[in-house]
Amino acid sequence: MRHSLVPAGLRYADQVARSGSIQKAARELHVAASAINRQILHLEEELGVPLFERLPRGMLPTWYGETM
């Protein structure tokens, strides 16, 4: 098993930004969508800013998400 030094929340947020949705990111990372969502919500809570704009058909990074 390969371990990353980058926290899961950051890896998941990066993949969501690249994919445009949690569902697509989950398929690409082979991780449950709920786990990705939880990690992103936790990261947003820790940082105190929204990283994504949640849209009916996906997610777009906010300015904060882009700069992260």
Side-chain angles (χ1 to χ4, degrees):
M1 176 180 251
R2 193 176 122 196
H3 294 281
S4 174
L5 296 177
V6 178
L10 292 178
R11 284 186 286 120
Y12 295 169
D14 178 61
Q15 190 60 49
V16 169
R18 292 172 191 271
S19 303
S21 81
I22 289 178
Q23 293 298 326
K24 287 180 187 174
R27 283 192 299 273
E28 292 164 7
L29 293 170
H30 306 288
V31 175
S34 60
I36 292 175
N37 188 52
R38 248 189 333 271
Q39 288 288 328
I40 290 174
L41 289 172
H42 180 70
L43 188 57
E44 288 176 324
E45 185 177 313
E46 280 188 7
L47 296 172
V49 295
L51 299 176
F52 291 94
E53 181 180 349
R54 281 127 173 108
L55 304 170
R57 293 201 173 263
M59 295 175 69
L60 287 175
T62 62
W63 181 84
Y64 300 105
E66 285 287 340
T67 58
M68 187 184 76

